Amino acid sequence: MRLNVFIEQTLVGVLEDEPQTNRFAFKYAPSWLNSPDRFALCPALPLLRPEGETPDSHSVAVRRFFENLLPEGHALDDVAAANKVSKANLVGLLVALGRETAGALRIHPADVTDAAGRDMPEADARPVRRMLTKEELSQRIRERPHMPFVVWDGKVRLSIAGYQDKIAVYTEQEQWFLVEGTSLASTHIIKPEPVSDRLAGLTSNEFLCMRLARRIGLSVAEVELVQVPEPVLVVTRFDRRVEDNVVRRLHVIDACQALGLASAFKYERPYGDSRDVRHIRDGASMPRIFELLSMSPNPAAQRLRLLRWLIFQVLIGNTDAHAKNLTFFAGLEGLSIAPAYDLVSVLALEAAPLEARYAMAVGDAFSDEELSAFEWANFAKRCKLTQRLVSNELSRLAEKTLKVLPKVKDETLAAGALAAPVHAAYEVIRRQATKQAALSKEVAKVRKDML
């Protein structure tokens, strides 16, 4: 089985699957390798295969990269069931979802051509769009206990990694459309409230955190809270750009793809926190992610941006800030951090007691209780940052958060957010920022010989 992988209308390479050996391979197209604009899809899939790389190790790298394009959890279950393929059938899932993935890639079977002989499915030859009204969206939100949210018009519409229910739409003149085609692609993501009561108020919580991040100067995706009448969070896609009524797709990869890890290793402790396995930290970690930024055209600026991203996760109590919640633009010049997204005060949710452990440690601290000035200094050493820089940024962001938080809360409520989750998140953030502001004054004082 062979799948062609495109960026826009340019063939980048071919993904091959050998069912008998369950081995994958990816070969860049000669035209792509000869292009002056060529670049590797991710560090684990370089343009030229490394000497000594075995077919098995190459297969693992390929599988990990493409599996990270798929949704997770019940969304993956629904996609597999709707297409009558196994969840383990990567190629079958890519055939179902590959025409509009996160980022720029379009993937489809290699033996489909149009009238001109181009390797492109007929459905991609002409743009198709159909309106999605608020009334229909509201109905589908209510029907989720009985009907998969990923299936619309008999087709699977979700092609974005993650656990939350979401639908990707094209927006024009404040109207939403489900679209297909090479010149059209989704420009926004709509996220309704989760079905689980344990996550009640998540959209209002996230709306507050995203607005707060923007107010203190972080680069974040644009968000809007819309009532349909159920509250939905509308997120502007940063991997899309509209030019002359044509949607351009930008290549992005998440930190798991950048590190060459499977999605199951998005947590630093991939096997959990129990006594027998908590010492195993083979998953994504902040030191490993900071090391990636050596592949950036401006490493110092990118490292500062990553530091601010991590500090903000601590300030809002987002214990679930894992590697798939961090994305990079990837291209000819290397890696650069994309705007932040999925910013949530997890500690303010009803599910907080089950989610109190950090997805990735700060130093050796995996919880708010363990995080001390010493661990911030330990984090600085491990990530090759100066203690003074960490101290200054922690102080600055914590103080700025405390200053603007009351006004951001009021503005969020005025925009239609639910009061209870906003007040709960407000209290968590105020407490966290107050604590970190105090800790920041001690970070630079930690003796280096103690680390």
Side-chain angles (χ1 to χ4, degrees):
M1 185 65 178
R2 300 169 69 246
L3 301 180
N4 280 352
V5 179
F6 285 84
I7 290 181
E8 298 291 354
Q9 303 200 32
T10 301
L11 179 65
V12 175
V14 178
L15 171 64
E16 297 181 343
D17 171 34
E18 177 51 61
Q20 284 72 30
T21 61
N22 195 30
R23 187 179 285 167
F24 294 85
F26 180 76
K27 297 179 182 178
Y28 288 99
S31 56
W32 179 257
L33 292 173
N34 291 327
S35 168
D37 299 323
R38 69 188 183 277
F39 56 85
L41 294 183
C42 73
L45 296 178
L47 293 172
L48 298 177
R49 292 268 294 271
E51 289 187 20
E53 182 183 54
T54 67
D56 284 337
S57 61
H58 176 70
S59 176
V60 169
V62 171
R63 185 176 191 106
R64 287 175 177 173
F65 175 81
F66 286 98
E67 278 185 337
N68 272 301
L69 297 175
L70 302 176
E72 301 172 80
H74 71 85
L76 183 60
D77 294 336
D78 291 339
V79 170
N83 288 277
K84 295 182 173 57
V85 297
S86 165
K87 288 194 300 180
N89 188 338
L90 174 59
V91 170
L93 294 169
L94 289 174
V95 170
L97 298 175
R99 287 179 181 166
E100 188 182 357
T101 66
L105 303 185
R106 292 189 305 108
I107 304 167
H108 58 76
D111 58 352
V112 181
T113 60
D114 66 6
R118 294 175 301 179
D119 204 359
M120 189 177 301
E122 289 184 13
D124 283 354
R126 61 187 185 281
V128 176
R129 66 179 186 175
R130 78 93 159 156
M131 185 179 294
L132 172 63
T133 64
K134 291 183 178 179
E135 292 76 15
E136 181 184 9
L137 178 59
S138 174
Q139 179 181 347
R140 287 301 309 274
I141 290 173
R142 297 192 303 272
E143 291 175 343
R144 283 181 297 169
H146 316 291
M147 181 181 298
F149 195 66
V150 299
V151 179
W152 295 72
D153 305 327
K155 300 178 181 178
V156 173
R157 295 282 184 176
L158 176 71
S159 57
I160 305 160
Y163 275 93
Q164 285 181 257
D165 285 331
K166 55 179 78 79
I167 185 70
V169 299
Y170 172 77
T171 301
E172 184 177 89
Q173 297 180 348
E174 299 184 354
Q175 293 181 317
W176 298 327
F177 298 87
L178 302 177
V179 296
E180 300 174 22
T182 54
S183 63
L184 281 180
S186 64
T187 55
H188 293 75
I189 297 168
I190 298 176
K191 301 166 70 173
E193 280 281 286
V195 175
S196 171
D197 292 338
R198 294 169 60 252
L199 301 175
L202 185 63
T203 53
S204 295
N205 180 317
E206 184 174 349
F207 186 50
L208 170 72
C209 293
M210 294 288 284
R211 289 171 67 97
L212 176 62
R214 182 176 293 276
R215 185 63 60 85
I216 68 171
L218 272 64
S219 174
V220 297
E222 295 181 10
V223 294
E224 180 184 8
L225 194 65
V226 177
Q227 315 293 331
V228 298
E230 295 82 4
V232 297
L233 192 68
V234 182
V235 185
T236 301
R237 297 189 66 157
F238 52 75
D239 58 346
R240 300 287 186 267
R241 186 172 61 236
V242 181
E243 299 176 352
D244 299 326
N245 297 320
V246 174
V247 181
R248 302 296 182 190
R249 310 169 194 228
L250 308 179
H251 183 54
V252 297
I253 58 175
D254 63 42
C256 277
Q257 290 172 307
L259 291 168
L261 296 174
S263 61
F265 281 67
K266 64 185 180 182
Y267 297 110
E268 186 168 346
R269 287 173 167 168
Y271 305 107
D273 294 316
S274 66
R275 182 188 62 186
D276 294 336
V277 295
R278 67 177 58 175
H279 64 286
I280 303 174
R281 297 168 62 174
D282 293 341
S285 67
M286 293 310 302
R288 296 179 69 179
I289 296 173
F290 269 98
E291 189 64 30
L292 283 173
L293 296 177
S294 63
M295 291 181 276
S296 165
N298 51 352
Q302 293 300 311
R303 288 166 69 81
L304 182 58
R305 190 165 176 175
L306 181 58
L307 172 62
R308 291 169 177 169
W309 177 87
L310 174 69
I311 290 173
F312 189 73
Q313 310 298 339
V314 173
L315 294 179
I316 64 174
N318 184 12
T319 54
D320 198 40
H322 53 70
K324 290 191 70 64
N325 283 344
L326 182 64
T327 290
F328 301 89
F329 292 111
L332 188 61
E333 296 183 345
L335 301 179
S336 59
I337 299 174
Y341 56 98
D342 284 357
L343 301 177
V344 174
S345 178
V346 174
L347 293 180
L349 299 172
E350 187 177 330
L354 301 178
E355 304 291 345
R357 309 295 290 178
Y358 291 161
M360 296 185 289
V362 181
D364 287 320
F366 276 93
S367 70
D368 176 59
E369 291 76 17
E370 296 172 354
L371 184 53
S372 62
F374 175 87
E375 289 300 352
W376 275 116
N378 184 21
F379 158 81
K381 179 180 180 180
R382 289 179 177 226
C383 297
K384 300 178 182 178
L385 304 169
T386 67
Q387 289 173 227
R388 178 62 62 185
L389 174 63
V390 173
S391 174
N392 290 345
E393 287 299 314
L394 183 59
S395 175
R396 187 182 68 83
L397 291 177
E399 295 292 350
K400 196 166 186 179
T401 293
L402 290 169
K403 180 180 180 180
V404 305
L405 181 60
K407 186 174 183 180
V408 173
K409 179 196 70 173
D410 293 342
E411 292 173 348
T412 302
L413 292 171
L418 300 175
V422 168
H423 286 298
Y426 171 87
E427 289 301 327
V428 168
I429 296 169
R430 183 185 60 80
R431 184 175 69 246
Q432 291 288 109
T434 301
K435 175 183 176 180
Q436 298 307 320
L439 281 181
S440 68
K441 298 174 175 57
E442 304 300 321
V443 175
K445 300 177 183 178
V446 176
R447 289 168 39 190
K448 292 181 173 58
D449 63 351
M450 294 177 60
L451 299 173

